[in-house]
C-alpha cells in the first residue's frame, strides 16, 4: 500500500521515505561559522606566505580537529582542537604541535591561535 499520492513529485517521495536519523549526525562536535572563519583566515594568510599547503577537518564524537600540513604526505604540523569536555577546566580550544605538545589552551579561540598567528611587525 502506497501512502504517497500519485501526484506527488518523486523527490518528495524519496525525502519522505528517508529516515530522519540518516540525515543528521547526533553527538558530533563541530566548529561553528565564526570559528571556521577565524581558522580559515589564518590558514589563507599562511598559505599566501608559503608556509602551509593543505588542511583536513575531522568532526568526531568528542572533539573537532582542524589539521594543518606543510605537505600533503606528512603528519600535521599543527592541530587546532575544540573539545567541549574541557570548557569548564582549561578551555575547550587548543593548538597542538606535530610532536603532541600542547602549545596553548584556552577558552577563547582568538587567544589560542595567537601562538601560531604571526602578525606583520613594523620594522
Amino acid at each position: 500500500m502506497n501512502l504517497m499520492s500519485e501526484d506527488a513529485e518523486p523527490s518528495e517521495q524519496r525525502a519522505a521515505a528517508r529516515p530522519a536519523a540518516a540525515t543528521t549526525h547526533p553527538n558530533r562536535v563541530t566548529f561553528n561559522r565564526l570559528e571556521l572563519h577565524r581558522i580559515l583566515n589564518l590558514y589563507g594568510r599562511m598559505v599566501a606566505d608559503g608556509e602551509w599547503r593543505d588542511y583536513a577537518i575531522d568532526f568526531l564524537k568528542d572533539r573537532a580537529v582542524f589539521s594543518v600540513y606543510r605537505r600533503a604526505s606528512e603528519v600535521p604540523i599543527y592541530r587546532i582542537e575544540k573539545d567541549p569536555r574541557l570548557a569548564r577546566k582549561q578551555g575547550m580550544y587548543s593548538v597542538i604541535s606535530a610532536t603532541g605538545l600542547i602549545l596553548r589552551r584556552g577558552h577563547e579561540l582568538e587567544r589560542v591561535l595567537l601562538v601560531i598567528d604571526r602578525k606583520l611587525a613594523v620594522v
Side-chain angles (χ1 to χ4, degrees), residues 8-49:
E9 291 289 319
S11 61
E12 292 173 3
Q13 291 176 357
R14 283 193 298 267
R18 185 180 319 133
T23 59
T24 62
H25 298 288
N27 302 326
R28 296 254 171 149
V29 178
T30 61
F31 292 109
N32 64 32
R33 182 178 292 212
L34 295 175
E35 293 165 342
L36 272 178
H37 183 263
R38 176 65 180 104
I39 293 170
L40 289 173
N41 277 342
L42 171 63
Y43 175 78
R45 283 198 315 272
M46 298 303 256
V47 166
D49 290 343

Side-chain angles (χ1 to χ4, degrees), residues 54-58 65-69:
D54 201 7
Y55 72 92
I57 301 176
D58 297 309
V65 182
F66 186 94
S67 303
V68 177
Y69 298 87

